[in-house]
Amino acid sequence: MKIWASEHIFNHPWETVTNAAMQKYPNPMNPGVFGVDVLDRSVDTQGRLHSTRLLSTEWGLPAMAKSIIGVTRTCTYVQEHSVVDPKEKTFELKSTNISFTNLVSVDEKLTYKPHPQDPEKTVLTQEALISVKGVSLSSYLESLMAKTISVNASKGREAMEWVIRRLNTEIEELAATARSSIRVPMAAAVADK
Amino acid sequence: MNSVGEACTDLKREYDQCFNRWFAEKFLKGDRSGDPCTETFRKYQRCVQKAIKEKDIPIDGVEFMGPNKDNST
């Protein structure tokens, strides 16, 4: 069994990061995720939003690892349960693979919280628990998967920045459209004088 | 982004648009008014659940970091 953990700071406030995280896919850094579906969603009595989502992914194991495990198709499904607490400002996501569960188990947990010293920043803590079962070289494969998770995690953080930029651009474009639609009648009013 | 069920992608996009707007403009700002997307969600769900059954995707019985994760089957 292999445990992997990391911490990262985003230079954006928690609401911006949470909004982006909710819309993380699709993005060019994680092309492996090709489908996202919401299976269930509800707000609990404490005002927290619970969501259960299904992610359809291509895992991207190297060819050699695939032949050791003995699979050719690598389409894997991941089930994710997340909770957004807008009062406490926490966004916690837990995901686990539901494909190939007899071979491998990858559990990931991500938590987004405001930075304790700077409310304009957000801290992401990420952990993964990897377990490969029933094959020799399991600890080698676990290390390989931990490396892949690490690479994907830094792609994931780049992806978050990409989504934040995209959402900000959409807001700016909307504002620019609104400004230009005000400007035309104003210019006409000035010309009339 | 696509849905796992190809036929559900349009319904998914309609629901996502509704949800994303409510989430950013209401929910995250502490507005406790209800989720306006329940009808689009229902339509989308009917389609997705059908696709999941057809593709035999094992969504039940998921245990996160549960006690039996170590056992080989």
Side-chain angles (χ1 to χ4, degrees):
Chain A
M1 202 189 320
K2 190 132 187 105
I3 296 167
W4 173 89
S6 93
E7 199 180 84
H8 177 79
I9 295 173
F10 290 98
N11 291 328
H12 306 278
W14 179 83
E15 288 81 0
T16 303
V17 174
T18 295
N19 201 28
M22 203 51 104
Q23 300 184 54
K24 190 173 171 185
Y25 305 107
N27 71 72
M29 291 83 181
N30 299 122
V33 179
F34 63 86
V36 178
D37 282 290
V38 180
L39 302 181
D40 193 35
R41 197 164 249 156
S42 60
V43 179
D44 68 19
T45 49
Q46 281 142 41
R48 297 177 305 192
L49 179 76
H50 293 250
S51 310
T52 304
R53 298 199 296 187
L54 177 71
L55 276 63
S56 310
T57 78
E58 269 289 321
W59 228 90
L61 280 174
M64 184 186 53
K66 284 187 205 175
S67 63
I68 292 171
I69 292 177
V71 294
T72 45
R73 70 170 182 94
T74 51
C75 171
T76 51
Y77 295 105
V78 172
Q79 190 162 323
E80 171 207 272
H81 180 249
S82 65
V83 186
V84 184
D85 188 335
K87 287 194 291 269
E88 296 297 311
K89 299 203 183 189
T90 58
F91 184 19
E92 187 180 273
L93 301 97
K94 288 179 177 169
S95 70
T96 188
N97 60 301
I98 55 173
S99 309
F100 304 118
T101 51
N102 56 327
L103 296 171
V104 68
S105 163
V106 180
D107 292 342
E108 279 199 88
K109 179 169 146 181
L110 284 78
T111 310
Y112 295 94
K113 288 187 176 156
H115 191 286
Q117 276 91 48
D118 186 348
E120 292 305 301
K121 294 189 167 132
T122 302
V123 181
L124 163 64
T125 42
Q126 200 168 351
E127 303 160 35
L129 195 63
I130 305 147
S131 188
V132 175
K133 307 161 204 187
V135 288
S136 53
L137 296 179
S138 58
S139 60
Y140 165 73
L141 286 170
E142 286 172 0
S143 299
L144 208 62
M145 290 170 83
K147 209 172 280 180
T148 306
I149 286 177
S150 182
V151 168
N152 285 348
S154 72
K155 285 190 198 162
R157 296 189 288 257
E158 259 182 78
M160 287 291 294
E161 297 291 344
W162 183 89
V163 176
I164 289 167
R165 274 196 304 273
R166 175 176 72 81
L167 293 174
N168 284 340
T169 306
E170 281 170 15
I171 294 168
E172 279 160 27
E173 279 169 0
L174 268 170
T177 312
R179 278 196 301 272
S180 64
S181 63
I182 294 167
R183 210 174 285 145
V184 170
M186 273 174 70
V190 168
D192 277 347
K193 297 212 171 91
Chain B
M1 183 91 276
N2 294 334
S3 169
V4 67
E6 293 80 16
C8 312
T9 295
D10 284 341
L11 289 169
K12 173 193 138 67
R13 297 223 176 113
E14 202 186 313
Y15 167 70
D16 280 348
Q17 250 180 340
C18 179
F19 171 77
N20 289 337
R21 199 177 314 133
W22 170 80
F23 185 69
E25 292 170 18
K26 296 264 157 85
F27 183 77
L28 284 182
K29 300 198 165 142
D31 186 330
R32 300 287 291 268
S33 60
D35 175 358
C37 312
T38 37
E39 201 40 54
T40 42
F41 186 61
R42 250 196 288 268
K43 282 193 273 194
Y44 162 52
Q45 269 310 289
R46 275 198 289 267
C47 184
V48 167
Q49 293 297 338
K50 192 155 154 275
I52 284 169
K53 271 207 184 68
E54 281 169 6
K55 297 195 178 202
D56 218 6
I57 298 171
I59 58 166
D60 292 320
V62 174
E63 219 184 307
F64 179 80
M65 289 186 186
N68 55 353
K69 286 277 170 148
D70 266 342
N71 302 342
S72 346
T73 353

